[in-house]
């Protein structure tokens, strides 16, 4: 077998994407989805592995900017569309594509690469570590009520979940709900989303074209639900939040038994967020609200009257890879002052191998090569897992994946790497 790895040419996209669909079970996407992803594909960052005239392997990357602890937006490669045809498995082709891709990411001065994995066990060998979690929640609205935040006048509300803000307090009853089409509400939703991006690690700034991804609504993907709807939550005429959802109607022996399927729900303050959930829970002819992707610390967990009456599922979501250890660790801030020497093992990206001195605090950090003795040893995969603050170094050490060399270094670094809000990926790619 002779294969050749080449950069994708635009005219090859249809064949290339068709082979990706085949590798994922021959599920052909709708024309709307295909058209959008053809526009979003960065062909100069996409790889095609050819066996003669047949494409047998695919890999791509998007040029993202991702929020890291401290609020900075860091250039990040969003690894995507990775596949190898079943006829060519176990031949080292995926490793070949991953090596070429990470070398390219480094040359583009992107210190981070991220991905979502159909099979999580695959990517640890390439230095990717699970870094964020997402929860799914089903609320039985016949048995569970939602609390209303008590805000006393005069005062100000936090401008975002947990962020200090600066607007007059208001009551949940002052929040006006306005139904619009997803297209009509797109600009207002994007303004809200943009204000939330810097406040939670893992969120992605919208690149051109990506604003259309959350409102894709092909009929073939509805699975019995109605069309996608959008509600804007406004205070004094200003959009302060939104929810996009569909209703799946059903009838049981006791009457209406529909489900509100929430695609996304966002707000700039706790009162508006609670108002949105109260709205969703009160939609006629429904008995349940289901949302698939929320942060692990989402406020709804504390708004419901009885968490045991809710079904909550947890899964890993985004995997992070430090492509340039020094630049990545210097790009974020730290919860407490830290000065530690990390000994990083990274056979797949050997330019990261060795000892790095990280010195930082809540204002900034530097991370440089050092000959000083190691104080913590860990792999590139484990560094990726703790980078956004979603997992603790102490937890990985308890699993034998991080080793403390200097007594006290583990706890100091673990606290410093933490984040006061859980990192979260708001949408797939």
């Amino acid at each position: 077998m002779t294969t050749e790895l080449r950069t994708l040419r635009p005219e090859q996209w249809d064949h290339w994407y068709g082979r990706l669909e085949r590798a994922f079970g021959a599920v052909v996407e709708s024309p709307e989805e295909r058209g959008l992803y053809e526009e979003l594909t960065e062909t100069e960052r996409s790889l095609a592995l050819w066996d003669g005239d047949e494409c047998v392997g695919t890999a791509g990357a998007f040029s993202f900017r991702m929020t890291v602890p401290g609020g900075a937006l860091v250039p990040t490669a969003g690894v995507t569309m990775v596949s190898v045809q079943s006829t060519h498995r176990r031949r080292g082709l995926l490793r070949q594509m991953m090596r070429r891709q990470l070398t390219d990411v480094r040359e583009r001065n992107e210190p981070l690469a991220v991905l979502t994995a159909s099979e999580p066990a695959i990517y640890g060998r390439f230095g990717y570590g699970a870094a964020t979690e997402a929860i799914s929640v089903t609320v039985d609205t016949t048995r569970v009520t939602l609390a209303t935040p008590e805000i006393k006048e005069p005062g100000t509300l936090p401008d975002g979940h947990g962020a200090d803000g600066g607007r007059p307090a208001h009551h949940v009853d002052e929040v006006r709900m306005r139904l619009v089409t997803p297209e009509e509400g797109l600009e207002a939703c994007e303004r809200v989303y943009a204000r939330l991006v810097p406040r939670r690690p893992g969120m992605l700034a919208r690149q051109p074209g990506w604003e259309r991804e959350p409102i894709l609504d092909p009929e073939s993907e509805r699975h019995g639900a109605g069309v996608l709807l959008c509600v804007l939550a406004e205070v004094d005429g200003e959009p302060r939040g939104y929810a996009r959802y569909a209703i799946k109607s059903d009838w049981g022996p006791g009457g209406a038994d529909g489900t509100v399927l929430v695609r996304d729900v966002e707000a700039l303050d706790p009162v508006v967020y609670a108002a949105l959930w109260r709205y969703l829970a009160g939609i006629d002819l429904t008995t349940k609200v289901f949302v698939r992707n929320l942060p692990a610390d989402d406020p709804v967990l504390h708004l419901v009257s009885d968490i045991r009456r809710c079904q909550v599922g947890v899964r890993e979501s985004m995997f992070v890879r430090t492509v340039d250890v020094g630049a990545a660790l210097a790009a974020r801030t730290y919860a407490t002052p830290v000065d530690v020497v990390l000994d990083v093992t990274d056979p797949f990206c050997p330019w990261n191998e060795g000892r790095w001195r990280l010195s930082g605090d809540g204002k900034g950090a530097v991370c440089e090569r050092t000959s000083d003795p190691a104080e913590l040893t860990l792999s590139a995969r484990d560094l990726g897992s703790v980078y956004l603050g979603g997992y603790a170094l102490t937890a990985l050490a308890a699993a034998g994946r991080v080793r403390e060399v200097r007594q006290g270094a583990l706890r100091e670094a673990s606290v410093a790497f933490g984040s006061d809000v859980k990192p979260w990926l708001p949408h797939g790619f």
Side-chain angles (χ1 to χ4, degrees):
M1 180 193 70
T2 301
T3 58
E4 184 179 359
L5 185 60
R6 301 197 299 263
T7 301
L8 181 68
R9 298 199 307 267
E11 65 271 18
Q12 297 170 329
W13 186 88
D14 194 62
H15 175 81
W16 180 84
Y17 199 78
R19 293 302 175 263
L20 173 70
E21 291 175 316
R22 187 166 70 180
F24 278 86
V27 177
V28 179
E29 293 183 343
S30 68
E32 298 98 318
E33 291 172 293
R34 254 181 161 263
L36 177 60
Y37 276 98
E38 183 172 11
E39 290 181 33
L40 294 175
T41 298
E42 300 176 39
T43 52
E44 71 279 6
R45 303 200 64 174
S46 302
L47 300 173
L49 194 61
W50 298 91
D51 184 356
D53 294 331
E54 183 68 18
C55 179
V56 297
T58 66
F62 296 118
S63 301
F64 286 145
R65 292 181 302 137
M66 182 176 69
T67 303
V68 301
L73 286 169
V74 176
T76 300
V79 176
T80 186
M81 303 180 189
V82 179
S83 73
V84 175
Q85 294 298 303
S86 56
T87 52
H88 287 66
R89 296 173 68 243
R90 309 294 186 216
R91 304 183 190 184
L93 302 184
L94 176 60
R95 175 174 290 271
Q96 183 183 353
M97 291 191 293
M98 291 292 99
R99 188 172 299 283
R100 168 82 169 267
Q101 186 179 67
L102 286 170
T103 299
D104 176 71
V105 172
R106 184 192 185 205
E107 292 173 352
R108 291 172 178 270
N109 295 316
E110 293 169 323
L112 299 167
V114 297
L115 56 80
T116 60
S118 56
E119 296 186 71
I122 291 175
Y123 292 96
R125 78 190 85 159
F126 306 126
Y128 288 89
T132 73
E133 292 179 338
I135 62 171
S136 60
V137 178
T138 302
V139 179
D140 180 349
T141 54
T142 66
R143 307 175 77 177
V144 174
T145 59
L146 288 138
T148 300
E150 294 184 7
I151 306 293
K152 296 181 179 179
E153 301 279 2
T156 59
L157 286 169
D159 198 9
H161 300 165
D164 292 334
R167 65 169 285 114
H170 48 263
H171 189 270
V172 68
D173 291 331
E174 299 172 21
V175 182
R176 176 184 178 238
M177 299 295 168
R178 183 162 65 92
L179 272 173
V180 295
T181 67
E183 292 77 13
E184 290 169 342
L186 186 57
E187 184 178 347
C189 293
E190 287 301 299
R191 287 199 303 270
V192 170
Y193 179 85
R195 291 177 64 179
L196 293 172
V197 165
R199 298 169 187 160
R200 187 180 289 274
M203 292 191 72
L204 304 174
R206 279 292 196 243
Q207 301 300 95
W210 278 94
E211 74 282 353
R212 291 161 52 201
E213 195 274 341
I215 64 170
L216 279 175
D217 187 32
E219 188 172 354
S220 59
E221 297 295 320
R222 292 177 189 161
H223 305 296
V227 299
L228 186 67
L229 302 170
C230 178
V231 63
L232 297 179
E234 300 175 332
V235 178
D236 298 330
E238 176 197 359
R240 300 278 301 170
Y242 63 90
R244 288 185 280 232
Y245 65 95
I247 296 174
K248 187 171 185 178
S249 298
D250 198 8
W251 296 84
D257 192 24
T259 302
V260 182
L261 303 172
V262 180
R263 182 172 297 187
D264 43 19
V265 52
E266 299 282 7
L268 293 175
D269 66 64
V271 172
V272 173
Y273 195 67
L276 280 164
W277 270 98
R278 190 170 73 167
Y279 167 83
L280 293 168
I283 293 175
D284 288 340
L285 306 181
T286 66
T287 59
K288 295 179 289 296
V289 177
F290 171 74
V291 56
R292 185 177 184 274
N293 182 25
L294 291 173
D297 59 352
D298 194 84
V300 74
L301 299 175
H302 307 286
L303 289 174
V304 294
S305 60
D306 188 348
I307 192 66
R308 294 187 186 182
R309 300 290 186 187
C310 304
Q311 298 175 33
V312 181
V314 182
R315 69 185 188 283
E316 40 63 38
S317 178
M318 183 167 64
F319 290 68
V320 171
R321 214 272 187 230
T322 51
V323 181
D324 183 328
V325 166
L329 293 181
R332 56 158 291 177
T333 62
Y334 296 85
T336 57
V338 61
D339 184 37
V340 64
V341 176
L342 305 173
D343 191 357
V344 179
T345 58
D346 193 355
F348 200 72
C349 293
W351 56 81
N352 285 324
E353 285 266 3
R355 283 168 282 169
W356 299 82
R357 178 173 287 279
L358 169 64
S359 300
D361 55 24
K363 297 180 181 178
V366 294
C367 186
E368 298 174 336
R369 289 280 187 183
T370 183
S371 58
D372 294 339
E375 297 173 325
L376 289 177
T377 65
L378 73 170
S379 69
R381 179 184 71 160
D382 297 324
L383 186 59
S385 287
V386 302
Y387 180 78
L388 293 175
Y391 293 101
L393 280 163
T394 50
L396 295 183
R401 288 169 51 178
V402 174
R403 185 169 68 90
E404 182 180 53
V405 181
R406 173 179 65 81
Q407 187 174 3
L410 176 62
R411 183 180 182 281
E412 294 166 12
S414 188
V415 173
F417 269 81
S419 170
D420 61 347
V421 293
K422 293 290 188 181
W424 176 59
L425 176 66
H427 62 81
F429 52 87

